[in-house]
Amino acid sequence: MKENKQIVLYEPKLDDLWFRQECNQDPNTMSYNAGYDLYCDGYHFETGCIDFPKAMWNVWIEKIKNPNMFFAYIQDEKTKKFVGYVNFRKDEKSNSASVGILIKNEFRGQGYMRPAMQKLIEKARFQRIDALTDNVPENRENALKVFYDLGFRKIEEFSQLKFGKKELVAKISLQL
Ligand SMILES: CC(C)(COP(=O)(O)OP(=O)(O)OC[C@H]1O[C@@H](n2cnc3c(N)ncnc32)[C@H](O)[C@@H]1OP(=O)(O)O)[C@@H](O)C(=O)NCCC(=O)NCCS
């Protein structure tokens, strides 16, 4: 039986940002993000990687101090290793927040997603956010299974282009 992973959400300091850089420049971790028409600085269409050079770290860490943003590493309590990260961004008007989760490729399939999302939901409740949303391609079945188990519901379906081909996406939401 798969061991239940014990994790904590750790808010990184400047010196910890090497791990975000390591994740964002790893093609195996970022391939899910490849092939989209994203107009963001440092995005690599072919690999999905996003540049995060040290010169950007100071500005970025200041940006996430914004009270509408939350960003944390997922840290394994036992090994103390960082295994991925979660985030949410609150929309002040609707008081809902869009969430994100990424597990570094080498730590996938080991059961980190569920406990990490549970902790993120707790954090959002604590901040009195009304709802969490995400847009998840329908073919990410493992991810959707966990989201639905945790109470998220599909509220809309739309399509987007990945490498020029249509991909179905579920817009999901959890009322807190
Ligand atoms: C989606 C993602 C976060 C999942 O993280 P993960 O740590 O690999 O996920 P888990 O190991 O917790 O597995 C998730 C579920 O899929 C199941 N699963 C994992 N690998 C599986 C496999 N090979 N076959 C069948 N089921 C599998 C697990 O059993 C688990 O369900 P459970 O909690 O009911 O046991 C990770 O793949 C990732 O970072 N992907 C890129 C970013 C992304 O897609 N983010 C989410 C949507 S925006």
Side-chain angles (χ1 to χ4, degrees), residues 64-76:
I64 58 165
K65 285 184 188 156
N66 178 326
N68 290 325
M69 314 247 291
F70 176 73
F71 178 93
Y73 287 162
I74 304 160
Q75 183 177 34
D76 186 306

Side-chain angles (χ1 to χ4, degrees), residues 2 101 103 108-114 140 142 145:
K2 200 164 67 177
I101 177 164
I103 305 289
R108 286 184 189 160
Q110 299 175 33
Y112 285 112
M113 181 178 172
R114 186 180 297 261
R140 291 192 211 158
N142 294 348
K145 173 177 167 286

Side-chain angles (χ1 to χ4, degrees), residues 1 3 5 8 17-18 24 34 36-37 47 51-52 88 95 97 101 124 126-127 130-131 137 143 149 164 170 175-176:
M1 209 181 82
E3 161 203 14
K5 293 290 186 189
V8 291
L17 292 185
W18 58 268
N24 287 11
Y36 293 118
D37 295 328
T47 60
D51 296 336
F52 189 49
F88 62 68
N95 200 36
I101 177 164
F126 187 73
Q127 292 201 5
D130 292 334
D149 277 0
Q175 292 299 318
L176 298 178

Side-chain angles (χ1 to χ4, degrees), residues 96-159:
S96 72
S98 56
V99 298
I101 177 164
L102 175 133
I103 305 289
K104 194 162 187 252
N105 185 58
E106 70 210 74
F107 300 109
R108 286 184 189 160
Q110 299 175 33
Y112 285 112
M113 181 178 172
R114 186 180 297 261
M117 276 310 303
Q118 282 168 332
K119 286 259 159 57
L120 190 67
I121 292 168
E122 267 172 36
K123 178 78 189 173
R125 282 211 171 98
F126 187 73
Q127 292 201 5
R128 299 187 177 280
I129 289 171
D130 292 334
L132 294 178
T133 63
D134 197 2
N135 294 330
V136 186
E138 295 275 12
N139 60 11
R140 291 192 211 158
E141 287 166 15
N142 294 348
L144 278 173
K145 173 177 167 286
V146 175
F147 279 124
Y148 291 146
D149 277 0
L150 293 174
F152 280 79
R153 294 289 167 259
K154 180 156 55 170
I155 52 169
E156 201 186 309
E157 196 170 68
F158 63 95
S159 65

